[in-house]
Amino acid sequence: MGGNIWKTLVVFVASVVMFNAFAAAEQKSVRCVDANQAASRTSGMESFRNWFHNPADWLEMGADLQLHWTYGWNIETLNDHAANRGSGWNWIQNRMRWWTKTKISDDIDFNLRLTWEFLSWDDPAHKRKEIDFDEIIFDQFNLTVRNLFDMPLTMVAGRQDIILGNGWLVAEGTPLDCGRTIYFDALRFTYKIPDRDTTVDLVYIENRAAADAYLKPINDRHKQVTEQDERGVILYVTDKSRPNLQLEGYFIYKNDNPINFRPTGAHPSPFDGPWPAAWSKKAEIYTIGGAISGPIASSEHWKYRVEGAVQTGKKQTVGGDSPEHTLQAFGTVDRLEYHFNDAKKNELHGTFEYLSGDNPGTGKNEAFDPLWGEWPQWSKLIMYAYSFDTMVGEPTNFYRLGFGHSIQLTEKMQMSTDYHLLWAGENTNKNNPIPGIIGFSDSGKFRGQLATWQLKYTLTKNLKGSLALEYFIPGNYYDSQSRDNAYFAELNLEYTF
């Protein structure tokens, strides 16, 4: 690792030490003064926090800061010597958010959140270091109305975060901004059925690829936050009325329209950035699915979740002028957990996931579309490894067997370890190598082995940190030039005021 990486690590470690030392000193000082002084000091800090969080009866506020360092080796190309791509990636994301909730009445709120994330990174392809102070974006801007029409009905209109179920298909509305935001521009109605623990969500989505389509960012950089203009309708029912059983059912319609070319400088693509034109695809997708979860036979130890969905409609296999093909796809993700229910909260889990892949010889498109599920649900490294398979953040065409363990090491420290075996359902890209960068074998279907490890630590009530490591050994799905091992590491600190 280069000198910049070591400097970054030193900064993060120093931050952890500083915050721990501050917390320890604060506790020690409280112990060393009498009760009145301690109470006065606590009262002063709490008074300031209370004022910041609630400066007026009609206003609530909050803020947070995230420092996020990422390092990756071969995460895109699986090739130590990829031409003009560089094998090592090293960047820091610094995100600050400030939000308000304005109370218009007991049942009506207006919610606003501003997010600023500036980045610094090493660019191995051009052998330079860069800092981008970027833009400040509105990632929440909505009106919330409860008890609409004197019914148990809530409406949220405007820019908002939406996560349905466990986020398998609906969670990430802005996948191209690397975790800065996840918002949807949407109208959402949530109805709670009286005398029954059941909710019905009806959502209309109108997302635009351009970040400045509806609300112009401060210091606007004309960025794109999703691959194409997207329109959608979701009907999602969640039923918890039965003991030890949760049922979910949904219908999702998603219409994708490629955006117009907006070339800028050295990147003549339909995006104001280095995104390939093929990422922007035309599609009309209908998804019907559901999930069932709960304990097994009322057990205190065994839990499960089974989810599956079928897709039909039309979709381009690649972007540009390629024809749309009939879409016929299926996906499922199933998880089994064993909880020891001991003091350390030991838990074992196994996962099976299948997303169908496209067989080019059929004249149809069988590749399962993750819809608005393009986020690192179980691995960040694999999200980048799909760069030339489909695109960054769009895993499809795979079988996954995962096995893992989690434990609460201390009151403030949690550790999880997972091992995954990955296969491809179809060798879709065998005739589409990118010479010098990545290639795919003629018949192999074993994608490889992935090990992931994560440590989470709560330093103080308001400060949390985590360290994640991933290691990928490619299999025979890739050709010989693209079987170099890949590594991924990230260190994260979050402070909430």
Side-chain angles (χ1 to χ4, degrees), residues 326-346:
T326 299
L327 178 65
Q328 292 183 353
F330 172 73
T332 182
V333 57
D334 313 309
R335 183 179 173 96
L336 181 64
E337 301 174 354
Y338 181 80
H339 297 259
F340 290 83
N341 296 328
D342 58 354
K344 296 292 186 181
K345 298 182 180 179
N346 277 283

Side-chain angles (χ1 to χ4, degrees), residues 75 78 90 92 119 141 372 404 453 484:
I75 59 177
L78 308 178
N90 172 30
I92 303 173
L119 301 93
F141 195 95
W372 294 288
W453 178 85
D484 294 324

Side-chain angles (χ1 to χ4, degrees), residues 6 45 71 76 78 123 137 148 193 210 214 220 258 262 267 274 286 296 320 383 390-391 405 418 434:
W6 287 113
M45 177 60 71
Y71 176 77
E76 281 193 312
L78 308 178
D123 182 352
I137 193 169
L148 189 64
I193 298 178
Y214 298 124
D220 187 10
R262 296 176 61 184
H267 303 301
Y286 300 86
I296 296 178
M383 299 291 281
T390 52
M391 57 168 283
H405 170 254
D418 286 87
I434 303 177

Side-chain angles (χ1 to χ4, degrees), residues 135-138 159 180 183 210-223:
E135 60 194 9
I136 300 174
I137 193 169
F138 295 88
R159 184 160 294 179
R180 177 184 63 167
Y183 67 78
D212 56 3
Y214 298 124
L215 296 170
K216 187 179 179 67
I218 300 170
N219 191 35
D220 187 10
R221 297 297 184 88
H222 307 290
K223 289 192 169 185

Side-chain angles (χ1 to χ4, degrees), residues 150-296:
D150 292 323
M151 299 167 60
L153 177 65
T154 298
M155 178 191 75
V156 183
R159 184 160 294 179
Q160 57 190 285
D161 295 345
I162 300 176
I163 299 176
L164 296 177
N166 65 354
W168 185 47
L169 297 179
V170 182
E172 171 63 270
T174 56
L176 292 186
D177 68 0
C178 199
R180 177 184 63 167
T181 65
I182 63 170
Y183 67 78
F184 293 82
D185 290 314
L187 177 63
R188 178 179 183 179
F189 294 93
T190 302
Y191 181 74
K192 294 185 178 181
I193 298 178
D195 303 319
R196 185 181 179 92
D197 193 1
T198 302
T199 59
V200 180
D201 281 285
L202 180 63
V203 185
Y204 174 75
I205 296 170
E206 189 77 43
N207 280 1
R208 289 288 181 264
D212 56 3
Y214 298 124
L215 296 170
K216 187 179 179 67
I218 300 170
N219 191 35
D220 187 10
R221 297 297 184 88
H222 307 290
K223 289 192 169 185
Q224 269 63 48
V225 293
T226 189
E227 303 93 331
Q228 57 270 317
D229 291 338
E230 301 171 348
R231 182 179 294 116
V233 176
I234 303 172
L235 176 64
Y236 202 105
V237 180
T238 304
D239 181 10
K240 301 179 182 178
S241 60
R242 297 172 178 82
N244 301 320
L245 180 66
Q246 177 170 313
L247 299 174
E248 300 164 47
Y250 49 83
F251 166 79
I252 303 174
Y253 169 76
K254 186 170 186 274
N255 183 281
D256 295 339
N257 286 286
I259 60 177
N260 295 325
F261 275 71
R262 296 176 61 184
T264 58
H267 303 301
S269 76
F271 301 94
D272 285 334
W275 318 118
W279 284 13
S280 195
K281 302 182 182 72
K282 185 169 181 58
E284 189 170 33
I285 304 170
Y286 300 86
T287 303
I288 299 176
I292 181 171
S293 59
I296 296 178

Side-chain angles (χ1 to χ4, degrees), residues 58-79:
W58 50 269
L59 180 63
E60 297 178 15
M61 295 197 306
D64 63 17
L65 167 66
Q66 181 188 67
L67 304 176
H68 190 93
W69 167 77
T70 300
Y71 176 77
W73 180 265
N74 287 341
I75 59 177
E76 281 193 312
T77 64
L78 308 178
N79 184 345

